[in-house]
Amino acid sequence: MKKNTKKTTIRRGDIILTATFLITAVLIFTCYNLFFHNPGTSVQITADGRIINTLPLASDTTIIINGYNNGTNTLQIKNGYASIIDADCPDKLCQKQKKIKYNGETLVCLPHRVVVSVISQEKPQIDGVAY
């Protein structure tokens, strides 16, 4: 029986290709965060598919959200960030989500069907025109 004793080596081209991919990824991430990651102005609270409240991110407040099946979530807005600080759902995954403040970010509690989305009151810029 013959053993496969072929040696695998990393070539110079492999290192250059990997470095190119890493540099490109870092540049894309940096450009996105600098130019397209805008802070929102308010949060929109939806429970069971209905918008129930819209609150500004600028004012600190705490609100109890009544969700599906009489479930409750406590939303806290503090220092321009929104987070769910308490929930009576079984898994409590909504409490473990990070604080949100940027336009388009969301907090979700699936058992209670509660969605908290950051929105901006600014008019969006035109990103393309079709003729």
Side-chain angles (χ1 to χ4, degrees), residues 2-118:
K2 206 175 194 188
K3 285 188 177 179
N4 188 3
T5 58
K6 191 172 184 181
K7 216 176 190 184
T8 311
T9 59
I10 298 176
R11 297 185 181 133
R12 183 176 178 206
D14 295 337
I15 294 172
I16 292 171
L17 184 64
T18 304
T20 303
F21 282 136
L22 287 174
I23 290 169
T24 303
V26 168
L27 285 174
I28 290 171
F29 179 76
T30 303
C31 289
Y32 174 76
N33 282 331
L34 286 176
F35 299 114
F36 300 109
H37 210 64
N38 300 326
T41 56
S42 56
V43 290
Q44 186 176 55
I45 303 166
T46 307
D48 204 16
R50 294 183 318 265
I51 298 172
I52 59 168
N53 208 344
T54 302
L55 301 169
L57 279 171
S59 60
D60 294 352
T61 187
T62 302
I63 184 173
I64 295 176
I65 305 165
N66 295 316
Y68 176 76
N69 238 1
N70 295 323
T72 60
N73 295 70
T74 305
L75 175 73
Q76 180 182 48
I77 299 174
K78 189 174 181 182
N79 299 328
Y81 287 89
S83 63
I84 295 178
I85 59 170
D86 188 38
D88 63 359
C89 53
D91 56 8
K92 302 204 185 287
L93 290 177
C94 51
Q95 286 181 248
K96 297 173 186 172
Q97 296 176 29
K98 70 178 186 86
K99 296 177 181 179
I100 59 173
K101 84 172 206 174
Y102 293 107
N103 194 21
E105 290 184 319
T106 58
L107 296 170
V108 179
C109 180
L110 287 176
H112 296 158
R113 299 181 185 169
V114 170
V115 178
V116 179
S117 302
V118 177

